[in-house]
Amino acid sequence: MTPLDERICSLFKHHLQQTLTYWSVFFSFGLCIAFLGPTILDLRCQTQSTLQEITWVFFSQQFFLLVGSCVAGLFKKTLLSSLLALFFCTLVISLVFAFIPFCHHIMLLSIAMGLAGTAMGIIDTIANLQLVKLYQKDSAVFLQALHFFIGLGALVSPLVADPFLADDSCVLGLNGTSNSSWDLEHLRNTLAGKGVSIHNTSQYHLFTEGIVVTKVSYAFWIMAVINLPVPAAVLMLMFHERLLLCSSSSPRLLEKDGPKSRPAEDDGQGHGSVFSCCNSARLEGQPTTTFFIYALGSAIVFITDGIIGCYAGFIYTYAVSPPLLMGRKAAGCLDSVFWASITAGRLAFIYLSYRYSAPVLLTISLVGVILVQFLMLFFYSSCVFLFICTCVLGLCISSVFPSMLAFTEDTLDYKGCATTVLVTSASAGEMLLQLLVGSVIHSQGSYSFLLSSTIASCIGFCLFLLLLYVHHIHGKQHIDISKQMDIKEKPKTENS
């Protein structure tokens, strides 16, 4: 066993309970993020709302996820506040799952999804930050595993919901009839892309008044039970860290850890929200390239997470439109294939991130994304090629966010703000790019979906090349600042 193997294994054993807890928290995140798409039509029946009204719950979840990511920094100053935030957020997710079957009005459902979205945003920031602070230069491997658990939760959630989904219209007319002249599965797959691909809802004539015949409540209660061990695991970690008995004098984040795993000390300005991370006071005394590293890293994950959201949201619409005109059942599998390949890719990159540096993995991933999308543009009429490219695209793009997070935090000496800024940018990209691409598809046709994603990928790669150049300059400036500080300290030492 090499010294690197021994160090990684030693760190993992030392932080075993913490690591497993944060991984389970991200499983809860994935469980919550994936259930809405498959169950949206049954929730429409439960709330007896129109298609236009029910798609607002997607916006509520995504918007408040962004809000949660922005404010999560307020809870990360101490280990106690971080774990309390994770405990309450994971508990909120279980409570929302249990409460959703009682939401018989669209406004009540939107509020519940807003609460869940806020909890997800806080989880996203804090779990990433805690792992970075635990492992620092060795965090890349464990971040890949962390994001693998999102995919695992996202795969479990639809499997739990599927047996309870309505096979026909789940609101019967007042005379006991159902309106099933159109393909229910087609509508569900179209809506699964966070609802942004529905522009003309007048073609779907759905009853809003009548007898509700849905069993989807059981799916939410099962998911609530599945998620309950997660807040219990966070509570056990708090007990293990002795935070429940001495919360009034809780230690600073990971204060009791050894010198090899201790994070950088607080700089006196505190770790607040994303806005406090980006103010000029925090950049004072830092190399001038620090701001550009924040900006470029944020822009890259904004684009790549936006591409993931767009592809998952619009691949079905693209596949069933000309020139492909793919069968609805086959096209409905594309989204599942994409998420499965992302999960498999993150599993594979756990090993690759151990063997190769983050810049190497990012270069391979971003080049792979561009090549795959260019191939999709050239072979746009091949259904088989679309399935192959969907798999490869998921494998390539899966590791971009965790690798970029590890690379940026390593460059900025693990101050913690990079995690908050990148997580917030990724959430914003997933929400805003879908709205932008959705409007382009509506006005220009389905082929513009591929074209938009390809252009975004090329921009992202160009920004990454610029980031590598800025990173090189940043290293030189950091060395120069260190030398100047040593020169200033030397006379003081001689005088003393």
Side-chain angles (χ1 to χ4, degrees):
M1 185 178 287
T2 65
L4 180 61
D5 294 327
E6 292 177 355
R7 188 178 79 252
I8 294 290
C9 292
S10 176
L11 284 172
F12 181 58
K13 290 177 182 177
H14 182 64
H15 301 303
L16 179 63
Q17 186 171 354
Q18 297 98 315
T19 306
L20 293 178
T21 301
Y22 300 139
W23 286 353
S24 69
V25 164
F26 251 44
F27 174 82
S28 178
F29 181 97
L31 198 68
C32 193
I33 204 170
F35 81 89
L36 194 53
T39 61
I40 193 67
L41 285 182
D42 293 79
L43 291 175
R44 186 206 70 83
C45 296
Q46 178 182 295
T47 56
Q48 294 184 291
S49 55
T50 65
L51 284 178
Q52 284 181 319
E53 291 172 339
I54 196 63
T55 53
W56 278 102
V57 300
F58 286 107
F59 177 79
S60 178
Q61 183 192 51
Q62 287 296 308
F63 176 76
F64 282 98
L65 193 156
L66 179 60
V67 171
S69 300
C70 291
V71 303
L74 299 173
F75 306 102
K76 67 184 183 183
K77 196 171 184 180
T78 65
L79 183 59
L80 174 63
S81 60
S82 296
L83 292 181
L84 278 174
L86 290 179
F87 170 73
F88 284 113
C89 288
T90 52
L91 187 61
V92 162
I93 288 176
S94 275
L95 292 176
V96 167
F97 278 141
F99 180 68
I100 283 176
F102 302 102
C103 296
H104 297 291
H105 191 276
I106 188 65
M107 185 58 67
L108 198 59
L109 181 61
S110 296
I111 293 172
M113 292 312 304
L115 286 173
T118 305
M120 290 159 61
I122 294 172
I123 287 172
D124 198 7
T125 298
I126 292 181
N128 276 293
L129 179 70
Q130 293 286 64
L131 269 190
V132 168
K133 285 184 174 292
L134 273 176
Y135 293 103
Q136 296 197 18
K137 290 186 178 296
D138 300 302
S139 61
V141 176
F142 301 97
L143 284 172
Q144 296 288 351
L146 182 72
H147 287 264
F148 162 76
F149 278 91
I150 290 184
L152 188 62
L155 287 176
V156 169
S157 188
L159 292 177
V160 172
D162 187 67
F164 303 99
L165 300 180
D167 295 324
D168 204 342
S169 178
C170 46
V171 174
L172 301 180
L174 296 177
N175 58 357
T177 60
S178 65
N179 45 5
S180 56
S181 59
W182 35 263
D183 190 341
L184 185 68
E185 191 64 26
H186 168 65
L187 181 56
R188 181 175 283 120
N189 287 325
T190 306
L191 281 166
K194 298 187 172 53
V196 292
S197 55
I198 287 287
H199 295 279
N200 182 17
T201 58
S202 60
Q203 60 181 306
Y204 301 106
H205 303 287
L206 302 176
F207 292 127
T208 57
E209 299 292 336
I211 304 170
V212 178
V213 286
T214 176
K215 299 178 181 178
V216 76
S217 300
Y218 298 109
F220 291 114
W221 289 329
I222 292 172
M223 285 189 280
V225 173
I226 291 174
N227 188 66
L228 273 180
V230 180
V234 179
L235 197 63
M236 288 178 63
L237 179 59
M238 294 172 66
F239 181 80
H240 174 76
E241 299 289 344
R242 306 188 181 208
L243 297 174
L244 296 178
L245 301 178
C246 53
S247 59
S248 59
S249 58
S250 62
R252 297 286 291 176
L253 186 61
L254 304 178
E255 185 178 89
K256 61 185 178 56
D257 289 338
K260 290 184 179 180
S261 60
R262 181 174 295 176
E265 296 295 330
D266 196 349
D267 56 9
Q269 298 170 10
H271 295 312
S273 67
V274 66
F275 306 106
S276 65
C277 286
C278 297
N279 63 29
S280 57
R282 295 197 63 90
L283 299 176
E284 187 176 351
Q286 298 292 325
T288 55
T289 51
T290 301
F291 171 78
F292 293 102
I293 291 174
Y294 276 124
L296 291 170
S298 301
I300 292 168
V301 296
F302 179 93
I303 289 172
T304 53
D305 270 54
I307 290 173
I308 291 175
C310 290
Y311 200 87
F314 299 113
I315 187 59
Y316 175 83
T317 302
Y318 171 74
V320 297
S321 302
L324 286 173
L325 295 175
M326 189 182 293
R328 292 174 178 178
K329 289 186 178 180
C333 296
L334 284 167
D335 186 57
S336 300
V337 168
F338 181 60
W339 283 111
S341 63
I342 286 179
T343 305
R346 284 171 177 164
L347 184 62
F349 273 95
I350 294 173
Y351 172 78
L352 293 175
S353 60
Y354 167 69
R355 291 295 178 188
Y356 303 100
S357 65
V360 172
L361 295 180
L362 284 167
T363 303
I364 294 172
S365 297
L366 292 172
V367 170
V369 169
I370 292 174
L371 290 177
V372 167
Q373 294 194 324
F374 270 113
L375 288 174
M376 291 175 69
L377 284 175
F378 289 130
F379 299 98
Y380 63 92
S381 60
S382 172
C383 296
V384 175
F385 209 80
L386 182 61
F387 270 96
I388 295 173
C389 287
T390 298
C391 290
V392 179
L393 180 63
L395 292 172
C396 291
I397 207 169
S398 61
S399 73
V400 174
F401 180 82
S403 297
M404 180 59 67
L405 180 57
F407 178 54
T408 309
E409 281 285 10
D410 184 50
T411 304
L412 299 176
D413 297 325
Y414 306 96
K415 296 296 170 91
C417 269
T419 299
T420 305
V421 173
L422 263 64
V423 169
T424 304
S425 299
S427 300
E430 189 173 355
M431 182 176 70
L432 297 177
L433 277 188
Q434 283 190 78
L435 295 174
L436 177 62
V437 174
S439 62
V440 171
I441 291 175
H442 181 58
S443 60
Q444 303 297 326
S446 61
Y447 187 76
S448 59
F449 155 67
L450 292 182
L451 195 59
S452 301
S453 297
T454 305
I455 293 172
S457 301
C458 293
I459 294 173
F461 183 68
C462 292
L463 292 174
F464 174 65
L465 294 178
L466 184 58
L467 177 62
L468 291 179
Y469 176 70
V470 173
H471 174 263
H472 177 69
I473 298 175
H474 179 81
K476 290 184 176 180
Q477 289 188 355
H478 192 72
I479 292 172
D480 292 340
I481 291 174
S482 299
K483 287 181 179 179
Q484 290 174 7
M485 293 180 64
D486 290 340
I487 292 172
K488 289 179 181 179
E489 291 292 329
K490 190 174 181 180
K492 294 180 182 179
T493 306
E494 291 175 352
N495 292 333
S496 63

